[in-house]
Amino acid sequence: MKRKFNLSSPKERKEYFQLKAGKEIKKLKDYFKKGNSFIVYLLGKKNSGKGTYSKLFAEAVGPDKVEHFSIGDMIRVVDEELKDKKRRKEFVAFLEKSYRGSLSVKEIIKLLEQRSTATPLLPTELILLLTKREVSKKKKKTLFIDGFPRGLDQMNFTLFFRDLIDHREDEDLFVLIDVPDKVIDERIKYRRVCPSCQTSRNIKLLPTSKVEYNLKKKEFYLVCDNPDCSGRKMLPKEGDQRGIGPIKQRLKKDEELIRQAYSLYGIPKVLLRNSIPASVAKQYVDDYEITPEYYYVWDEKKKKVVTKEKPWIVVDNEGHPSYSLLAAPVALAMIKQIAKVLNII
Ligand SMILES: [Zn+2]
């Protein structure tokens, strides 16, 4: 009989990766042991799971060798630097010494401080400079760059990126992630966040182990089960009920970016698909690799909530009823394909 894995358990996930890609994982580990590293540009729509897939990749082949490098997080650190008097001074000195471009240092600081998600992107030469500064602080690692390129005008810089950040011997490649809009929509719509520790889950797709029921309102809700948290009722974020509505333009731009990356010559590409048409799913994936939909029933006798699951069917962007894969099988596909494009398998 075929073995089933519980992919939310780190232990079983490890066994799953070993069974399905043991050879590739060993080759990648050897590759790192010899001092090699590479650069990945992650391209996927907002909320497509870029961070999750990179973390699972790292978990499987060496967490100390691989880093998810988010440009957004890097800029948030700069925001912190600017708020601290001493670090602000150092940052300004760094810009005065190293920045070359069409803005004055004053203008850059102003741009950083008055930035909101609605304002235009930061200048590319600034992003590159800050990335180089950040990367030089770390030991040489394999980087999964998340957030660059952001616009079509940044695409060509990608081709020289490794030279610009002094990783010139590294192989580099694109990882392009294809996720149906409907999946992103429901990830947002049913998201629940803990007001205390900010843990994010999903009442339909990724519940906690504790679900409770409000008899008066006839409403089920998640309770945070982070062991370091006091266990608060998790709440929807403002605006989440509108799903992808407010970010439609952004998703369209992300899609154009992926299409352009796909058409570039000379740089290897790895394609990941989050979904699989239900009609062919049986041939390619096992039931435990598919994202279920959770629903809840109130057991009046026992006075407790029973969590149940059923297959979750979403319509993909081509109109096919599809299943959405869990993160581990997508990460597995990434491990196999990366080993292949690096020519180590
Ligand atoms: Zn919490």
Side-chain angles (χ1 to χ4, degrees), residues 232-248:
R232 303 270 300 272
K233 174 181 178 180
M234 300 178 90
L235 301 167
K237 275 206 299 191
E238 175 137 16
D240 272 4
Q241 75 281 3
R242 289 187 289 162
I244 56 170
I247 57 164
K248 275 225 161 107

Side-chain angles (χ1 to χ4, degrees), residues 33-247:
K33 223 181 261 165
K34 285 182 201 145
N36 299 307
S37 56
F38 57 92
I39 293 178
V40 169
Y41 311 103
L42 288 167
L43 281 185
K45 292 179 183 173
K46 194 174 160 63
N47 279 309
S48 58
K50 287 172 281 189
T52 308
Y53 299 143
S54 345
K55 269 181 208 126
L56 287 176
F57 182 90
E59 179 189 287
V61 304
D64 55 327
K65 302 280 192 266
V66 180
E67 181 165 328
H68 173 240
F69 189 96
S70 154
I71 302 292
D73 289 350
M74 176 182 79
I75 300 297
R76 278 185 281 279
V77 170
V78 171
D79 290 340
E80 292 306 307
E81 280 177 78
L82 290 175
K83 282 181 202 147
D84 179 277
K85 219 172 150 193
K86 183 168 164 261
R87 292 170 73 198
R88 182 186 179 100
K89 233 175 137 181
E90 286 164 5
F91 183 70
V92 169
F94 164 76
L95 285 184
E96 276 167 353
K97 184 166 169 265
S98 318
Y99 174 79
R100 292 172 165 187
S102 51
L103 298 175
S104 70
V105 169
K106 246 191 188 152
E107 284 169 318
I108 292 176
I109 302 286
K110 201 173 148 200
L111 194 62
L112 283 164
E113 289 189 316
Q114 301 185 343
R115 188 185 78 252
S116 78
T117 43
T119 56
L121 302 173
L122 296 169
T124 303
E125 66 272 11
L126 179 66
I127 299 285
L128 289 168
L129 177 65
L130 294 176
T131 304
K132 188 173 172 177
R133 179 183 72 140
E134 204 52 37
V135 169
S136 70
K137 286 186 209 159
K138 303 171 195 287
K139 253 179 42 199
K140 195 161 172 273
K141 277 184 182 179
T142 285
L143 299 175
F144 279 63
I145 310 279
D146 180 351
F148 190 92
R150 254 304 286 281
L152 293 173
D153 52 330
Q154 289 185 336
M155 187 60 78
N156 285 338
F157 284 96
T158 315
L159 304 173
F160 303 99
F161 188 84
R162 59 181 181 181
D163 299 311
L164 294 167
I165 65 162
D166 287 339
H167 270 238
R168 54 196 69 223
E169 300 305 322
D170 277 27
E171 302 263 358
D172 57 359
L173 57 110
F174 278 110
V175 167
L176 309 176
I177 305 169
D178 179 27
V179 179
D181 286 353
K182 191 72 191 149
V183 170
I184 299 175
D185 190 52
E186 304 222 337
R187 280 181 186 167
I188 298 173
K189 265 188 191 150
Y190 298 98
R191 177 160 58 191
R192 296 291 184 271
V193 179
C194 172
S196 173
C197 72
Q198 308 304 320
T199 293
S200 172
R201 301 299 277 265
N202 189 298
I203 195 163
K204 182 169 171 179
L205 306 171
L206 189 63
T208 54
S209 54
K210 269 196 271 176
V211 184
E212 288 178 9
Y213 183 58
N214 182 324
L215 270 168
K216 254 196 203 144
K217 290 188 184 162
K218 294 199 182 342
E219 170 199 76
F220 294 97
Y221 61 90
L222 301 182
V223 176
C224 182
D225 62 357
N226 173 358
D228 302 323
C229 179
S230 56
R232 303 270 300 272
K233 174 181 178 180
M234 300 178 90
L235 301 167
K237 275 206 299 191
E238 175 137 16
D240 272 4
Q241 75 281 3
R242 289 187 289 162
I244 56 170
I247 57 164

